[in-house]
Amino acid sequence: MNKEYVKSGRINQKLDTRNKILTSAQYFMNKGLEFTLEDVAKKSGISRATIYRYYSNIEILVNEAGIDVNAESPENIVANLKEKNIEEIILGIQNYYNTLVIDHENAFRKYLSSVLASNPSEIKRGARRKKTLQIALENTSINKNEREKLVNLLTILMGIEPFIVSKDVCGLNNEESMETMNWGMKLILKSYFQSEG
């Protein structure tokens, strides 16, 4: 997904459009049908030009739709953790996304590869992890500027990218990778919330 396009203008409306596109692509995938970006545009009721603003080619869309079908919505992830304190919620979000990567690692690697191969100068990624953290932290007393920085920092410790580094560069297995990222998250949270208190 074209991140720069989504960052400009009405973010919620653009995320809704992205979800319509993904749902339409999943319709074709679930039926086992071949499809094009134009087919998805027609099915979703979105113009072809708009589809191309979000996905430059069908391979990126197919790969993201395949991952998306296995993922909970950010709202549901946070709702499932609502009885916990803020630190436990953040650790629960990290655990959810890291477990999702372990369960679907090949799909995530394929998606990342197709995004990077399409046009390395453009960043085209979904923002599910970041949105989940934003929802979790939105009603806290953390000021907006610090909250955004904290969300960005915490996002770095979950998902496919840190798994690639921990496994391919550091030589860790899945369990060691999860442990290391969890340890890093706990250090950040402990340091941040102690300095706030």
Side-chain angles (χ1 to χ4, degrees), residues 6 71 121 167:
V6 171
S121 65
K167 293 176 79 173

Side-chain angles (χ1 to χ4, degrees), residues 115-124:
V115 169
L116 294 173
S118 70
N119 188 348
S121 65
E122 291 180 36
I123 300 171
K124 300 175 191 154

